[in-house]
């Protein structure tokens, strides 16, 4: 373990050769072989010279060999020296090879083989070492989380080998800019982490480094005759030496904070750096509470349908309602779908949420005059469910609601996903008598060919064009173009966002539209709609008992 730690801290320092073997430890040498060798040499030095002179004299001058035993002992002594030396040399080589193999195994366990950076496993230890050393030197540690932007797209476009080349070159560029003794690791994929020590208060130097990292990463990479351009988002977090926080805690905190800052850099437009701010942690906390609130709210029935009137602009008659979800949150009040729908989609509860809303809406709408339609918005995620059409039909059967009164609104973004699936879904829904509207038309770049191949029943002009009619010349041009498109394709049009009489009058110039907007009333709760319909004799059941002033109405009434 101690050896592994030595190894880590040594290799985490940039600029050193990571493959250099560590010196042999004394304890690992063969003590026995060394002992034999030393004893044999001592014996040879102590007695060898006098014995040798006897032997030489007996051979050269023919003197009688006084002690043949001594001569044999000398030969044995020399043999021992040779044996001992050879054994010692052999063992030293063997140990050396074993150490080298261990070194390589350690290296592979602690580094990323592609880029030579540290890997995720060894990162914590390396950062903790850096934190301890910097605390001793009175320095601060800055941690940067670097994530390449749209790396997956580049990988898909140019292939995985090109992706590897990008990672190797990016690591080389980052390494080239970091100060000595910095830590550089690749966390897997396209994420790098680096940490360096800085003198306290030297924020400008860190920001300068971060800006240079952004620049270096963004330089084009030439590979196999193609040029790859990629950028990186950097999150920065700074940790001051604190005696009450362990190096491990500080390392984890820095990594978490730099991660949050990196997401902020992505959100801010990518190819930039961003410092951690305590507000980000609060935002994260708020977000996780919000997510929990949505999950619990679905189970507790806190999501309720509101309804917005849809009007025939020519006759001024009410034709139906669009169901718009609201969250009656005990904590946050009445929450807009623009806030909770994207989160519900992300956390995977949109299908359950939408199903419960549609179920409630069908029960509500069953009491309205049968001439009134009900429009519901469907998320692109729900359209990916191969059982969606069946689920919807089941809801209709359960509520005993005629499919011809139901209109499904899907946005243009649905069409970008899987056109074939959407087409078959639309077709099967239409076969059941349900109508399909293309919502927010004009904002999602759907092509005319898509419009032609998908059997929509209606298009809804996005409210951004409608509510700026009369103020913005482009809007008039767009509305006029959509109007003639609708006429050409025989598709009726609904205009959303009619806020005042001026827009209403302006729209009348372009054709016979249906419309909805604040001019006719803001979205209302089921009870309010019921009350208003009752006043106009547009309910098929008696009005709410909550309003005793109103007279009872007969059952089926015609609008
Ligand atoms: P949308 O389907 O385009 O709904 C119209 C939005 O425009 C509604 O916002 C409505 O309140 C608003 N609006 C209506 N008239 C006017 C006006 O005159 N001026 C202005 N400025 N706005 C007007 P809301 O209720 O906040 O809904 C926003 C979006 O959330 C909806 O846009 C729809 O895409 C989505 N949404 C609502 N309910 C659901 C749902 O149950 N499921 C799904 N998947 N999406 C839903
Ligand atoms: Mg809609
Ligand atoms: Mg819309």
């Amino acid at each position: 373990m101690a050896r592994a730690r030595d190894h880590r801290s040594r290799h985490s320092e940039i600029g050193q050769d990571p493959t250099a073997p560590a010196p042999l430890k004394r304890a690992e040498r063969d003590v026995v072989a060394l002992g034999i060798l030393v004893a044999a040499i001592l014996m040879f030095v102590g007695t060898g010279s006098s014995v040798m002179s006897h032997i030489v004299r007996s051979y050269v001058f023919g003197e009688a060999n006084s002690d043949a035993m001594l001569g044999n002992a000398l030969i044995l002594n020399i043999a021992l020296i040779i044996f001992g030396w050879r054994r010692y040399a052999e063992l030293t080589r063997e140990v050396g090879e074993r150490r080298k193999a261990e070194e390589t195994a350690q290296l592979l366990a602690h580094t990323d083989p592609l880029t030579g950076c540290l890997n995720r496993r060894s990162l914590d230890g390396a950062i903790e070492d850096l934190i301890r050393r910097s605390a001793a030197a009175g320095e601060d540690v800055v941690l940067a989380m670097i994530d390449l932007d749209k790396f997956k797209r580049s990988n898909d476009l140019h292939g995985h080998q090109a992706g590897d080349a990008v990672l190797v070159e990016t690591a080389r560029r980052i390494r080239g800019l970091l100060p000595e003794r910095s830590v550089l690791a690749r966390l897997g994929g396209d994420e790098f982490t680096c940490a360096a020590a800085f003198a306290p208060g030297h924020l400008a130097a860190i920001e300068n480094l971060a800006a240079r990292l952004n620049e270096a990463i963004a330089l084009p990479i030439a590979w196999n005759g193609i040029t790859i351009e990629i950028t990186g988002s950097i999150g920065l977090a700074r940790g001051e030496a604190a005696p009450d926080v362990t190096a491990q805690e500080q390392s984890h905190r820095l990594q978490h904070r730099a991660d949050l800052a990196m997401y902020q850099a992505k959100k801010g437009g990518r190819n930039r750096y961003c410092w951690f701010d305590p507000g980000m942690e609060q935002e994260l906390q708020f977000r996780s509470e919000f997510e929990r609130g949505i999950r619990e709210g679905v189970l507790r029935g806190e999501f309720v349908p509101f309804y917005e009137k849809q009007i025939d602009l020519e006759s001024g008659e009410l034709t139906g309602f669009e169901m718009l979800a609201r969250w009656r949150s005990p904590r946050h009040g009445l929450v807009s779908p623009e806030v909770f729908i994207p989160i519900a989609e992300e956390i995977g509860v949109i299908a359950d949420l939408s199903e419960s809303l549609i179920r409630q809406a069908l029960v509500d709408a069953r009491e309205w005059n049968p001439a009134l339609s009900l429009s519901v918005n469907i998320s692109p995620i729900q359209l990916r469910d191969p059982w969606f059409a069946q689920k919807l039909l089941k809801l209709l059967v359960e509520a005993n609601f005629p499919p011809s009164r139901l209109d499904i609104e899907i946005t243009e973004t649905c069409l970008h996903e899987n056109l074939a699936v959407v087409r078959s879904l639309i077709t099967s829904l239409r076969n059941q008598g349900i109508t399909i509207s293309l919502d927010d038309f004009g904002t999602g770049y759907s092509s005319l060919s898509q419009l032609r191949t998908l059997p929509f029943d209606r298009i809804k002009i996005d409210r951004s064009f409608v509510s700026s009619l009369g103020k913005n010349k482009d809007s008039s041009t767009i509305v006029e173009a959509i109007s003639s498109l609708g006429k050409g394709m025989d598709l009726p049009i609904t205009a959303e966002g009619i806020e005042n009489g001026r827009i209403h009058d302006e729209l009348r110039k372009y054709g016979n539209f249906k419309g909805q907007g604040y001019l006719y009333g803001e979205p209302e709760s089921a009870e309010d709609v019921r009350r208003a319909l009752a006043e106009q004799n547009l309910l098929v059941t008696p009005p709410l008992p909550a309003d005793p002033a109103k007279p009872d109405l007969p059952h089926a009434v015609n609008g």
Side-chain angles (χ1 to χ4, degrees), residues 322-324 375-377 409 411 439-440 460 496 516:
E322 176 176 2
M323 189 271 280
L324 295 160
S375 297
V376 295
N377 294 279
E409 293 191 8
T411 55
D439 201 359
D440 301 346
K460 296 185 72 176
E496 306 176 319
Q516 52 186 100

Side-chain angles (χ1 to χ4, degrees), residues 120 123 127 142-148 174 185-187 190-195 213-214 217 232-237 251-263 265-266 272-274:
R120 184 184 286 274
L123 176 69
I127 297 177
V142 172
L143 194 132
M145 202 66 88
I146 306 174
D147 191 279
L148 298 186
I174 299 174
R186 180 177 159 235
L187 300 185
D190 57 344
E191 249 186 312
F192 294 88
T193 297
C194 40
L213 281 169
N214 274 134
I217 294 168
S233 298
I234 305 177
L236 297 172
S251 160
H252 289 171
R253 187 187 289 173
L254 279 175
Q255 289 181 59
H256 170 69
R257 291 181 168 185
D259 216 25
L260 289 177
M262 190 269 289
Y263 278 106
K266 293 252 181 212
R272 65 195 59 217
Y273 67 83
C274 184

Side-chain angles (χ1 to χ4, degrees), residues 47 50-51 54-55 65-76:
T47 57
S50 58
V51 176
H54 274 292
I55 291 169
N65 189 353
S66 52
D67 193 345
M69 277 276 286
L70 269 181
N72 291 339
L74 182 71
I75 290 164
L76 190 63

